[in-house]
């Protein structure tokens, strides 16, 4: 593969990838939220992120390829809620995975 080659992704592969990749991130968020040292404000933001992420997964499972753009706001919202806490190692990985999926959306065919 050429370094600057854009990686287009078939819709069916994207649809299969989303629950597998992001389901793990829902679990990772849940484990992080349940830690005793997490402050209430942070916990609330991460619960919102987890909810939006679950909504995105469900949306992708329900729509056809042309409707995936309607699901993107859920993923955007999840990213916005978790981004302020990117200084935590576990959450950095969550942000990386969410960003990866987010960046793939324009290349789904």
């Amino acid at each position: 593969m050429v370094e600057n080659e854009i990686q287009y992704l078939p819709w069916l592969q994207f649809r299969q990838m989303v629950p597998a990749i992001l389901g793990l991130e829902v679990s990772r968020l849940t484990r992080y939220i349940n830690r005793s040292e997490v402050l209430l404000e942070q916990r609330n933001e991460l619960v919102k992120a987890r909810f939006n992420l679950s909504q995105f997964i469900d949306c992708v499972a329900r729509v056809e390829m042309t409707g995936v753009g309607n699901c993107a706001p859920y993923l955007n919202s999840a990213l916005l809620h978790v981004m302020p806490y990117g200084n935590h190692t576990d959450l950095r990985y969550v942000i990386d995975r969410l960003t990866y999926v987010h960046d793939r959306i324009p290349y789904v065919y």
Side-chain angles (χ1 to χ4, degrees):
M1 179 180 84
V2 177
E3 280 293 316
N4 61 356
E5 183 178 315
I6 296 174
Q7 293 297 305
Y8 288 92
L9 187 66
W11 168 245
L12 293 177
Q13 187 177 351
F14 181 80
R15 197 177 211 179
Q16 290 173 344
M17 174 187 80
V18 164
I21 291 175
L22 297 184
L24 292 172
E25 301 318 313
V26 168
S27 297
R28 191 182 313 275
L29 282 170
T30 299
R31 283 192 308 274
Y32 191 86
I33 289 166
N34 290 331
R35 291 181 178 174
S36 61
E37 70 271 7
V38 177
L39 300 174
L40 183 61
E41 181 181 328
Q42 182 182 11
R43 179 176 280 122
N44 289 340
E45 289 297 309
L46 295 176
V47 166
K48 290 175 190 175
R50 182 181 61 184
F51 176 76
N52 285 312
L53 192 50
S54 296
Q55 292 291 99
F56 177 75
I57 293 167
D58 292 343
C59 185
V60 168
R62 288 190 318 264
V63 300
E64 294 302 318
M65 183 183 74
T66 56
V68 74
N70 297 329
C71 301
Y74 294 119
L75 186 57
N76 293 339
S77 181
L79 268 166
L80 288 174
H81 286 293
V82 79
M83 283 285 209
Y85 308 105
N87 56 335
H88 301 281
T89 304
D90 291 342
L91 298 180
R92 243 181 285 156
Y93 191 78
V94 171
I95 292 167
D96 179 63
R97 298 289 78 205
L98 298 185
T99 303
Y100 172 79
V101 172
H102 179 271
D103 292 347
R104 305 303 305 159
I105 292 173
Y107 303 109
V108 173
Y109 69 94

